[in-house]
Amino acid sequence: MGANIGYYALMPPSMLDYVHVIAIEPEEKNIINLRKNVKMNRYNDKVSIVHCAAGNEQTTAEIHLSTHSNRHSLQSEFKNKNQNIVSDSVEIDVRPLDDIVKDAGLDPADVDVVRMDVEGYEAKIFGGMSEILSSSDSILLQIELHPNLLSDEEMDYLFTTINQGDIEILSAARGRDDDSIKSLEEIRNWNFAELVLMFEN
């Protein structure tokens, strides 16, 4: 989610024959370049492109477009805190991740890896992936988390949802610095966190 032009989405197909990637991206210019990159690398059979944002319900929402193509956000707090780089706002489609996966012909239990880079919309996404979390034995979660853009209620919901399973924190970083943490609560006051977690039921 937040596939952008495909930098991460194209890595697994280049390494694994059996992988299938669902690349979800809401922004129009990024989608155009994502499709070009998938076609140019001949991964049309390995990468399904979905033009929408993932969230907790099927709806439409306003995305705030940044002057940086990798920093668009649906989070209203993003616009408030980054007015110097927000160039415009447009309406986009939003769908639950559970529905996106099923519409791609996959069983939620077959999801092995979930990656999101969504500039503050993380809690909404977890609200729309309950079937994936409850039906899979284990999932690798790679989350770019923005505590500075999330409300206390959103952070509480996010941590409560993740902690419903057994969590192993494989890595946590802010910027270029790796941090050793024992609990997700330790990142609550960070501006930004790159997390890799193993979630097991």
Side-chain angles (χ1 to χ4, degrees), residues 67-137:
T67 53
H68 306 283
S69 66
N70 63 339
R71 293 198 62 196
H72 308 310
S73 176
L74 283 86
Q75 178 63 273
S76 58
E77 192 63 22
F78 176 86
K79 182 179 181 179
N80 297 335
K81 292 186 175 182
N82 296 281
Q83 293 184 9
N84 59 319
I85 64 168
V86 173
S87 61
D88 197 5
S89 299
V90 296
E91 287 287 313
I92 55 148
D93 292 327
V94 180
R95 298 172 59 206
L97 184 59
D98 286 335
D99 292 350
I100 293 170
V101 166
K102 287 185 281 189
D103 286 350
L106 300 176
D107 188 321
D110 292 333
V111 175
D112 296 311
V113 179
V114 171
R115 182 183 186 277
M116 63 184 77
D117 178 359
V118 292
E119 306 297 323
Y121 214 60
E122 299 86 17
K124 296 283 192 190
I125 288 174
F126 271 89
M129 56 182 284
S130 59
E131 288 185 60
I132 292 170
L133 290 176
S134 63
S135 61
S136 297
D137 291 334

Side-chain angles (χ1 to χ4, degrees), residues 145-163:
L145 185 64
H146 298 79
N148 64 321
L149 297 176
L150 295 163
S151 67
D152 289 338
E153 291 77 15
E154 287 174 317
M155 288 294 289
D156 290 342
Y157 173 78
L158 191 61
F159 289 167
T160 299
T161 302
I162 293 174
N163 284 318

